[in-house]
């Protein structure tokens, strides 16, 4: 699974980034927390709805509630996911940033859908992904793990083998100026990795 995050970039508008991601085959788009209504937000929402692409806000629960897009990606210190579930019910997909040793049971009780190890490779490496996977298994829990950061296609299989279920990148991870070619190649590479499902 590949998530593409729309991030302000002087070379490409956010709506054009969304269209590029859709054309590359990305089925999951996230919106950077700096994006506002003035950045063509409705155009992005329309692109995702017309193409049946999942759309996630980063941090912004009020914008999620207003627009009723698919979900939200929370960081530690954002709104409590339990309170968010109580307020919005089962509607939103909820992802949350974690560390390799984060307690998993509270997230399970909050009905979180996936967890994110954010900051590869600067903050976390291969061993941290494996530690997070083993941490979950020791608690009898198996959230999908999304690795976010500067990821090279040559690393994808290694990251999957370590425990990753998906990847999150943005335009700054791609080779300029052929962003569309680079994203299409990245998506193709993610489609070619072998995911090992737990028994």
């Amino acid at each position: 699974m590949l998530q593409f995050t729309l991030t302000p970039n002087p070379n490409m508008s956010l709506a054009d980034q969304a269209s590029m991601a859709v054309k590359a085959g990305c089925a999951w788009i996230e919106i950077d927390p700096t994006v506002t209504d003035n950045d063509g937000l409705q155009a992005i929402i329309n692109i995702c709805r017309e193409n049946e692409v999942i759309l996630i806000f980063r941090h912004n629960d009020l914008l999620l509630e207003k627009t009723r897009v698919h979900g939200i990606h929370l960081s530690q210190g954002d709104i409590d996911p339990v309170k968010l579930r109580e307020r919005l019910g089962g509607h939103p997909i909820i992802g949350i940033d974690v560390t390799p040793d984060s307690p998993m049971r509270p997230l399970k009780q909050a009905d979180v859908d996936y967890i994110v190890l954010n900051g590869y490779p600067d903050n976390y490496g291969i061993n941290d992904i494996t530690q997070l996977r083993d941490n979950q298994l020791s608690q009898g829990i198996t959230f999908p793990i999304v690795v976010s950061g500067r990821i090279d296609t040559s690393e994808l299989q290694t990251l999957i083998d370590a425990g990753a279920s998906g990847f999150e990148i943005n335009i700054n991870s791609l080779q300029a100026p052929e962003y569309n070619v680079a994203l299409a190649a990245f998506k193709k590479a993610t489609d070619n990795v072998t995911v090992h499902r737990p028994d």
Side-chain angles (χ1 to χ4, degrees), residues 26-43:
C26 295
W28 194 300
I29 289 176
E30 181 172 308
I31 297 182
D32 185 274
T34 61
V35 175
T36 68
D37 286 331
N38 296 328
D39 295 309
L41 180 58
Q42 190 57 54

Side-chain angles (χ1 to χ4, degrees), residues 51-81:
N51 291 280
E52 298 182 348
V53 169
I54 293 171
L55 182 59
I56 300 289
F57 284 127
R58 184 72 182 266
H59 304 310
N60 200 327
D61 59 294
L62 297 179
L63 205 51
L64 168 65
E65 190 168 17
K66 175 183 175 182
T67 61
R68 302 291 292 182
V69 300
H70 297 91
I72 191 166
H73 173 180
L74 300 172
S75 293
Q76 298 293 332
D78 286 342
I79 184 172
D80 183 338

Side-chain angles (χ1 to χ4, degrees), residues 49 72 86 99 130:
R49 284 179 175 161
I72 191 166
E86 290 174 351
T99 61
T130 301

Side-chain angles (χ1 to χ4, degrees), residues 8-160:
N9 183 284
N11 299 314
M12 186 178 289
S13 72
L14 297 170
D16 286 344
Q17 289 182 46
S19 294
M20 175 181 70
V22 169
K23 289 177 182 176
C26 295
W28 194 300
I29 289 176
E30 181 172 308
I31 297 182
D32 185 274
T34 61
V35 175
T36 68
D37 286 331
N38 296 328
D39 295 309
L41 180 58
Q42 190 57 54
I44 296 167
I45 293 173
N46 292 342
I47 289 168
C48 291
R49 284 179 175 161
E50 289 166 5
N51 291 280
E52 298 182 348
V53 169
I54 293 171
L55 182 59
I56 300 289
F57 284 127
R58 184 72 182 266
H59 304 310
N60 200 327
D61 59 294
L62 297 179
L63 205 51
L64 168 65
E65 190 168 17
K66 175 183 175 182
T67 61
R68 302 291 292 182
V69 300
H70 297 91
I72 191 166
H73 173 180
L74 300 172
S75 293
Q76 298 293 332
D78 286 342
I79 184 172
D80 183 338
V82 173
K83 293 180 179 177
L84 187 64
R85 275 282 180 238
E86 290 174 351
R87 195 170 96 223
L88 299 182
H91 151 244
I93 297 168
I94 299 178
I96 191 167
D97 289 342
V98 296
T99 61
D101 58 355
S102 289
M104 294 290 120
R105 293 196 184 280
L107 302 182
K108 187 71 172 177
Q109 292 167 356
D111 198 21
V112 164
D113 296 289
Y114 68 98
I115 56 178
V116 182
L117 201 60
N118 199 349
Y120 178 87
D122 301 313
N123 300 327
Y124 299 109
I126 299 293
N127 291 339
D128 295 302
I129 299 169
T130 301
Q131 181 184 343
L132 177 56
R133 179 197 64 194
D134 294 345
N135 174 28
Q136 288 199 91
L137 293 175
S138 71
Q139 298 177 60
I141 296 169
T142 53
F143 289 115
I145 299 171
V146 175
V147 176
S148 175
R150 296 183 294 104
I151 302 165
D152 189 89
T153 54
S154 65
E155 303 175 289
L156 296 179
Q157 189 63 60
T158 300
L159 295 172
I160 288 289

